[in-house]
Amino acid sequence: MGEETREFRQHSPKSGFDPATGVYHSLARLGEEYKIPTRHDLDTATFVLSQFPHPDHAESRVALIDSATNQRVSYGQLRHSVRALASGLYHALGVRKGDVVFLLSPNSVLYPTICLAIFSLGAILSPANPINTESEIVKQVRDSGAKLIISAPGELHKLKQVTVSTIITSHSNQSKNESVSVEELIECCDPTELPKSELTQSDTAAILYSSGTTGTSKGVILTHSNFLSIMVLMKWTVNVTDSQNDVFLCFLPMFHIYGLAFFGLGLFCSGITVVVMQKFDLTAMLDAVKVHKVNNIPAVPPVILGLVKYCKPGSDLSSLKRVGSGAAPLSKELSEAFRRKFPWVELRQGYGLTETCGATSFFVSDEDARARAGSCGALLPSFCGKIVDVETVVGLGPCRRGELLIKSPTIMQGYLGNEEATRETIGEDGWLRTGDLGYFDEDGFLYVVDRIKELIKHNGYQVAPAELEALLLSHPNILDAAVIPLEDEEAGEIPMAYVVRATGSQLTEDQVIQFVAAQVAPYKKVRRVAFISAIPKSAAGKILRKQLVSLSQQQVVAKL
């Protein structure tokens, strides 16, 4: 403790930066009630269930609401379902510690039950994106080494080439599948017949698939210790932002670390009510906010953009108090446009990666968030950061751009079966290379500019696509935009913009080029523009630039 105190005194009290080491330290401290558990034999499910409301209140406190059917699940029912399902998985299906359970399903009120039941057995959760193709699903099943698959009935057709035992989440009126279902196991199995847990914090809890900081999809290994740290930090953020009585809306995919950490696990540590949508739809989201008096919406930049560009003045968002943004950079321009349209709503951006179990920085204060549009907040308690020169790896001080490195108790164990990629991402000293270009300001607030590998190299200059996209989105006749590199013999690469025009707009390529050119340095100018009906994005809201690069190459070939 004395060593930590001496170290803390060396930091700038304003930014947390230590010029001797080049390290930025979090200035936030957890109170005694939020200490990260040190008990070695504590697992994620045991911890989350221990945070549920007292049994006297568990039946009256609503944990989950299905936005489509209005089905409600109390905390008491959720606890019973987790234990009954764990019992069924253990006794009826032979799931044991270390077995990988592959989960293929859209959001549902059953999703948290399934995740917690898997964790409680010491089995390993590996969730998948249900919009993935059959070949992508098969690859993940094989790569993860799955021993059991839990699938929504509508996704079974993607598992024809898989020989792994499979059960379904629930039987629908249309489903004639004879497979046992999760719902049947919950109804039939004794929640008291559970084996004694022999888990430790160092055991693997989940394998989540991410693009990683570079390259193709990789299995990110997260331990119970990683999740326990995130659960404590989430409970802290809910309380310090006065969100504990809010009703949260979930349309973020629960297979993604953002959705899993929030809605599959974390919010239940604070007794929160979560309204679940199977997938995002703007009209359905607005209806859910009105009907269920939603106060808090963790979101992604495309949702923020949709609210700004498409939300009609008559929509009832009076209950809304907070909107969060993560998974991709939220520009200063879009932040300010949102606040102008919804001045009563707090907008707070955060930053995290699958490799950091979903968190790194966050805004505790709405005042700070408003004063620093474009920033993704300050480092969370127990986190450290570095900004290093992309070429020399030398540490940089405040307001200087470089690659962001992170160290925290939430850092992944590594990539499944890929020691080379793990070594490239996590150094021997424990620092995680994020692959993101960013900087800390003089007050210790983090700004993420772009992905380093997505920077456009134009005549030796580096151009950040996110900066140009933010500028394009400020145009009244542009609904969405993405910027990619286009190969050029003279300049190496030139910025090319794909633009979604507003309905009825006759916006031309030259008008877009001139709009950008009037506001940026010459090397940043957009040189080519193509119009498109929709920008391809991942479920987490990230622009799928590879698809656009491929499209641009096809268009160039077609013109030859």
Side-chain angles (χ1 to χ4, degrees), residues 74-85:
S74 71
Y75 272 88
Q77 290 171 319
L78 180 56
R79 184 194 304 274
H80 173 88
S81 295
V82 168
R83 289 176 171 168
L85 178 57

Side-chain angles (χ1 to χ4, degrees), residues 258-558:
Y258 190 2
L260 177 62
F262 256 93
F263 300 110
L265 302 168
L267 291 178
F268 303 120
C269 294
S270 298
I272 297 291
T273 297
V274 174
V275 180
V276 180
M277 295 176 62
Q278 187 174 101
K279 61 181 180 179
F280 176 74
D281 175 85
L282 183 62
T283 301
M285 182 191 80
L286 296 174
D287 289 343
V289 172
K290 180 179 179 180
V291 170
H292 298 289
K293 305 300 180 188
V294 170
N295 315 108
N296 205 317
I297 303 179
V300 290
V303 174
I304 310 296
L305 178 64
L307 286 167
V308 170
K309 296 268 186 176
Y310 298 105
C311 186
K312 297 177 181 178
S315 301
D316 184 3
L317 294 175
S318 58
S319 65
L320 197 57
K321 295 192 297 185
R322 299 176 187 86
V323 171
S325 182
L330 181 68
S331 70
K332 177 181 178 181
E333 292 80 3
L334 184 53
S335 300
E336 291 174 342
F338 179 90
R339 291 191 173 99
R340 284 195 299 271
K341 189 165 185 176
F342 308 103
W344 70 93
V345 180
E346 298 175 4
L347 177 63
R348 306 187 190 199
Q349 187 176 183
Y351 169 83
L353 304 164
T354 307
E355 288 84 350
T356 64
C357 209
T360 293
S361 65
F362 182 68
F363 273 112
V364 171
S365 160
D366 181 56
E367 182 181 356
D368 284 335
R370 290 180 183 274
R372 295 172 175 83
S375 168
C376 42
L379 290 170
L380 286 164
S382 73
F383 278 71
C384 295
K386 276 186 184 180
I387 300 292
V388 300
D389 185 278
V390 175
E391 301 296 334
T392 66
V393 199
V394 172
L396 303 174
C399 301
R400 296 184 63 188
R401 292 183 177 187
E403 183 177 6
L404 172 64
L405 276 59
I406 296 295
K407 183 182 280 189
S408 79
T410 69
I411 297 297
M412 68 169 182
Q413 290 298 294
Y415 294 116
L416 181 67
N418 197 332
E419 292 183 7
E420 182 181 353
T422 300
R423 284 194 302 270
E424 290 174 354
T425 305
I426 305 176
E428 292 181 2
D429 52 3
W431 286 94
L432 174 84
R433 298 186 61 183
T434 67
D436 284 322
L437 183 73
Y439 65 93
F440 288 94
D441 68 14
E442 293 178 344
D443 295 314
F445 288 91
L446 175 64
Y447 292 75
V448 174
V449 178
D450 218 325
R451 294 289 294 167
I452 288 173
K453 285 202 170 281
E454 291 175 353
L455 292 176
I456 299 168
K457 307 294 177 60
H458 179 77
N459 281 330
Y461 291 98
Q462 293 182 337
V463 181
E467 180 182 351
L468 295 177
E469 288 157 2
L471 185 56
L472 288 164
L473 290 174
S474 69
H475 194 292
N477 289 323
I478 294 178
L479 295 181
D480 206 353
V483 175
I484 63 166
L486 190 67
E487 289 186 12
D488 182 80
E489 287 186 8
E490 294 183 4
E493 293 176 338
I494 60 173
M496 176 182 179
Y498 276 91
V499 169
V500 180
R501 284 183 287 214
T503 304
S505 170
Q506 300 300 313
L507 192 65
T508 66
E509 179 179 19
D510 187 60
Q511 287 172 330
V512 173
I513 290 173
Q514 294 305 318
F515 173 75
V516 175
Q519 302 179 72
V520 299
Y523 71 90
K524 294 182 181 179
K525 291 194 295 187
V526 169
R527 313 283 169 151
R528 288 276 301 276
V529 177
F531 296 100
I532 194 170
S533 59
I535 302 296
K537 293 178 182 176
S538 71
K542 295 179 182 178
I543 295 170
L544 299 175
R545 297 187 202 277
K546 288 181 182 178
Q547 290 187 19
L548 293 175
V549 169
S550 176
L551 178 60
S552 70
Q553 292 169 346
Q554 293 171 21
Q555 291 171 336
V556 168
V557 170

